[in-house]
Amino acid sequence: MTQRKSSGKRSSTAVGVEEDDSIFTQPTTSQVQKGMEKLTKAQIDEKTTELVQYILMKDQKKIPIKRADIVKNVLKEYKNVFQEIMNRAQQRFEQVFGFKLVEIDAKNHVYILINKLEPVEGSEMISGNPKTGLLFVILSLVYMKGGVVPEGLVWNTLKKMKVDPGERHPEFGDVKKLVTDEFVRQRYLEYTKVPHTEPVKYVFTWGQRAEVEVSKIKILEFLGELHSQDPQHWSQQYKDASSQWSSRAPQPSTSSQRCGLVRSPEPPLGLGPPPRSGAEETRQPLTHLAIVVVEEHTG
Amino acid sequence: MVLGEGHQRFIQTMMIRGIVNEQEAKTLHQHCCEVHKEHYVADKLEEFIQVVNSKLEALNMQIRTRASEDNGMTCYALVNTANNELTRMSSDYADNELELFRRTMDLIMSSDDSTASSTDILNMADSLQTRKLTKSAAECLLKRMVSDNWLVEKQGDYSLSTRCVMDMEPYIRTMYDEEQVKVCAVCHCLAFKYQICANPLCTVKIHNPCAEKYFKKKAVQRCPGCSELWPNKVRAECRQSLSQRQR
């Protein structure tokens, strides 16, 4: 009896704190239970549906989703049962869409969707975004170079492929903005200032989304195929790549299928022309770029 | 119940493509089944989609089929079933861009031939309530909406794409009044390109492909509403040249 009373007290303070302050305050278990009891199944289902739609919408643009935004835009007065609704949404993503909702930043509570389905040949028919070719090259370059690359090297590599960050590119527009802003916002790349440099220097590393989405093995396989080389030729990278997801189970097959990162040398399935410029045009420069990446940085 | 991976892949692809034609849907069906080594029966696409929809409907989504108003070919699109707002577009477009789209839709809905001229659309750009758009920005926006498959452009006239109509049907039906929302008397879907009854008192409208199918088996072509003789194609052509002359 006494115990229940005191826990009731505690939860009421917690609510008070929440109202003042942040949405990050974790409600107590009893609060969650209470909150869930107050809601009908229909209400919970409705919120879950809203959340699923919201996340799918954000994911279309590859923008990572902040918990604060979920609470502000979707859950609102349901914030006490945040985790419960998230769990239900997670279930829908896994059971219906073959996606997995992953928290990529546990401190700030940031989420992305990754694809659980294996990328397959013929999937290019659904993507055909030339930007992903560019991204793939930069990720490969950073990876082959040991994980950190000064920006100058990236720009020089791109220039060799006639993609000049200083000029407007017909396909990519403002290349520098695409690479240092869009790819960074999507968490494919990180663009970090090197401390104590004058003039200021920047380096590129893989972003969190790349880490969970892009298969390193696939990068090596792709490069290997172009060079008629066993991927194990790059022994250090191969070792690292093989352990990429070993700590996580089940292995999330990359969503490179979705973002078109892994391009197969096979012609795409005959599903008619994709709405925008298809894989055909992007494959060519991508292949060149990949050759350069390997030649320049692995001997 | 959990969906099989083949079904999941089908949904994922539809999410990216938005809309596919019948042949593409069949190829995709086969592809998805084969990749995941699931049982594939060539002519069971409808059943396959039923299974997909049984899961999607609880999430206010659906794969819907509809005959294209241009050629009568079946299209498959992933649509929102509940939202009365332009949800699917809101991630890709800014507020003022959506406003211009809404107002373009208003023009299309209140026009006789379901189109809006680029001049009329561009003239609205600097009177938006949210934030003005320059003419050139509005022009870019129209291009983007065409390439994103929301609008269709033909000689400077814009109309709603099949995908747009399918996705926004609930929105259109709530936002516009009966006079503006035209419905085909044969298939009961929204109608934008259609034939009308020769009787000026009769409001019956029929899609061109629906009319073709509907009248094919009939010895005498009569309006399903008022039984007036239906001059079929001739009428459609008359209508077109009439509206062209008006412009």
Side-chain angles (χ1 to χ4, degrees):
Chain A
M1 255 319 242
T2 26
Q3 225 173 2
R4 197 188 291 162
K5 240 182 198 165
S6 74
S7 87
K9 228 183 203 170
R10 215 183 323 128
S11 63
S12 68
T13 14
V15 171
V17 169
E18 262 202 349
E19 275 164 3
D20 293 337
D21 186 23
S22 77
I23 29 116
F24 295 126
T25 322
Q26 291 292 329
T28 61
T29 322
S30 64
Q31 254 184 302
V32 173
Q33 268 169 12
K34 248 189 181 167
M36 291 302 279
E37 276 164 20
K38 260 192 255 163
L39 299 167
T40 64
K41 190 180 172 294
Q43 282 175 313
I44 293 167
D45 284 346
E46 201 189 315
K47 268 294 157 193
T48 306
T49 297
E50 238 181 274
L51 180 58
V52 167
Q53 295 242 358
Y54 179 77
I55 293 174
L56 286 176
M57 183 184 89
K58 289 280 172 194
D59 181 68
Q60 274 185 346
K61 281 198 111 180
K62 297 257 163 223
I63 301 170
I65 304 134
K66 291 194 200 96
R67 173 169 154 162
D69 288 333
I70 293 177
V71 171
K72 194 175 99 195
N73 298 316
V74 185
L75 293 187
K76 295 168 191 161
E77 69 276 15
Y78 291 65
K79 66 185 174 189
N80 272 344
V81 290
F82 174 87
Q83 202 49 55
E84 293 298 310
I85 307 245
M86 277 298 263
N87 292 346
R88 280 173 170 74
Q90 173 75 279
Q91 216 178 21
R92 307 284 194 281
F93 282 127
E94 296 205 15
Q95 295 180 347
V96 180
F97 298 97
F99 293 152
K100 193 175 159 98
L101 191 60
V102 177
E103 190 175 42
I104 53 168
D105 181 344
K107 201 172 123 231
N108 299 309
H109 303 288
V110 180
Y111 302 86
I112 61 170
L113 278 184
I114 63 170
N115 201 337
K116 285 174 70 194
L117 302 182
E118 283 287 340
V120 288
E121 274 154 27
S123 37
E124 291 80 24
M125 73 206 179
I126 57 177
S127 173
N129 185 350
K131 287 178 185 175
T132 54
L134 183 73
L135 173 62
F136 181 80
V137 166
I138 299 170
L139 288 175
S140 305
L141 175 64
V142 173
Y143 183 56
M144 298 311 277
K145 219 25 195 164
V148 189
V149 163
E151 66 169 331
L153 185 59
V154 170
W155 304 137
N156 286 336
T157 307
L158 295 187
K159 263 186 214 159
K160 284 194 184 114
M161 308 334 306
K162 308 263 182 292
V163 179
D164 192 328
E167 285 168 24
R168 240 194 123 65
H169 188 272
E171 196 85 67
F172 306 130
D174 185 338
V175 177
K176 186 158 183 188
K177 189 164 173 250
L178 172 66
V179 175
T180 61
D181 185 68
E182 193 171 319
F183 289 162
V184 172
R185 252 186 307 127
Q186 295 172 337
R187 309 284 174 111
Y188 279 115
L189 287 172
E190 267 176 42
Y191 182 62
T192 338
K193 218 181 197 168
V194 181
H196 317 300
T197 47
E198 185 60 45
V200 182
K201 285 188 178 133
Y202 287 88
V203 291
F204 282 107
T205 47
W206 275 34
Q208 288 151 310
R209 184 192 291 273
E211 293 286 352
V212 291
E213 253 192 26
V214 180
S215 160
K216 292 171 176 172
I217 283 281
K218 294 276 183 208
I219 287 189
L220 293 177
E221 280 171 5
F222 177 69
L223 296 177
E225 213 161 305
L226 288 172
H227 289 263
S228 318
Q229 208 43 278
D230 191 321
Q232 300 200 28
H233 170 74
W234 301 284
S235 53
Q236 202 188 329
Q237 278 90 354
Y238 190 82
K239 215 176 121 193
D240 169 72
S242 316
S243 66
Q244 185 181 10
W245 287 314
S246 57
S247 56
R248 272 216 326 262
Q251 196 240 339
S253 73
T254 79
S255 89
S256 17
Q257 174 237 337
R258 210 149 38 103
C259 58
L261 277 181
V262 179
R263 297 199 169 273
S264 80
E266 254 63 58
L269 190 77
L271 254 189
R276 276 163 234 156
S277 56
E280 288 302 326
E281 297 107 81
T282 43
R283 192 169 300 129
Q284 210 44 34
L286 175 60
T287 309
H288 284 305
L289 279 162
I291 289 169
V292 167
V293 168
V294 173
E295 282 172 354
E296 296 267 309
H297 308 294
T298 57
Chain B
M1 196 198 76
V2 183
L3 276 186
E5 292 190 335
H7 292 84
Q8 295 182 346
R9 187 176 296 278
F10 192 88
I11 296 177
Q12 288 190 6
T13 310
M14 288 303 294
M15 285 171 66
I16 294 166
R17 289 290 297 257
I19 186 165
V20 297
N21 67 33
E22 189 166 11
Q23 191 45 53
E24 289 171 331
K26 283 181 178 162
T27 314
L28 182 61
H29 173 213
Q30 183 175 4
H31 172 76
C32 291
C33 290
E34 283 172 359
V35 165
H36 296 285
K37 303 193 172 53
E38 286 170 14
H39 183 59
Y40 168 67
V41 189
D43 56 357
K44 295 282 186 221
L45 174 63
E46 296 314 316
E47 284 83 346
F48 186 87
I49 286 178
Q50 263 174 28
V51 173
V52 166
N53 278 343
S54 69
K55 291 287 135 192
L56 285 180
E57 275 158 16
L59 298 164
N60 291 343
M61 296 164 98
Q62 193 184 41
I63 290 174
R64 202 176 279 171
T65 59
R66 181 192 163 97
S68 149
E69 288 186 67
D70 292 315
N71 51 25
M73 264 173 59
T74 309
C75 297
Y76 294 77
L78 182 67
V79 303
N80 277 319
T81 51
N83 279 304
N84 289 332
E85 286 161 40
L86 310 177
T87 332
R88 203 185 295 274
M89 295 178 78
S90 56
S91 65
D92 286 335
Y93 298 96
D95 280 354
N96 54 345
E97 295 175 335
L98 283 178
E99 189 189 344
L100 188 66
F101 180 76
R102 264 187 216 110
R103 293 179 61 171
T104 302
M105 225 164 158
D106 292 346
L107 285 183
I108 291 172
M109 293 304 294
S110 52
S111 76
D112 278 337
D113 57 355
S114 306
T115 64
S117 76
S118 58
T119 324
D120 290 345
I121 300 171
L122 294 176
N123 280 339
M124 299 187 299
D126 60 359
S127 62
L128 295 178
Q129 284 169 352
T130 39
R131 211 160 5 99
K132 284 181 193 175
L133 275 167
T134 62
K135 277 238 160 72
S136 65
E139 269 170 7
C140 281
L141 174 66
L142 285 176
K143 272 195 197 131
R144 224 171 98 213
M145 290 188 160
V146 170
S147 81
D148 287 352
N149 218 342
W150 295 112
L151 293 175
V152 175
E153 189 258 354
K154 220 176 193 177
Q155 293 164 339
D157 285 333
Y158 289 84
S159 55
L160 304 179
S161 71
T162 307
R163 186 255 184 124
C164 177
V165 173
M166 289 173 83
D167 201 38
M168 310 223 174
E169 181 155 352
Y171 175 84
I172 292 170
R173 285 187 190 262
T174 1
M175 295 302 289
Y176 298 98
D177 52 43
E178 255 173 67
E179 220 170 274
Q180 290 171 305
V181 179
K182 289 127 190 154
V183 175
C184 171
V186 173
C187 71
H188 307 292
C189 287
L190 292 180
F192 294 88
K193 294 170 192 155
Y194 47 79
Q195 305 171 10
I196 53 170
C197 180
N199 174 1
L201 297 172
C202 174
T203 57
V204 163
K205 298 165 182 73
I206 306 179
H207 287 128
N208 295 333
C210 288
E212 218 167 283
K213 257 189 243 162
Y214 180 78
F215 291 126
K216 208 158 121 189
K217 295 170 215 138
K218 308 225 175 349
V220 190
Q221 302 188 355
R222 285 189 183 281
C223 170
C226 68
S227 300
E228 174 89 23
L229 273 176
W230 192 283
N232 205 3
K233 274 185 183 163
V234 186
R235 178 76 198 169
E237 275 152 26
C238 279
R239 216 191 125 70
Q240 259 174 16
S241 61
L242 201 84
S243 63
Q244 263 157 20
R245 236 178 291 140
Q246 279 171 348
R247 222 167 289 136

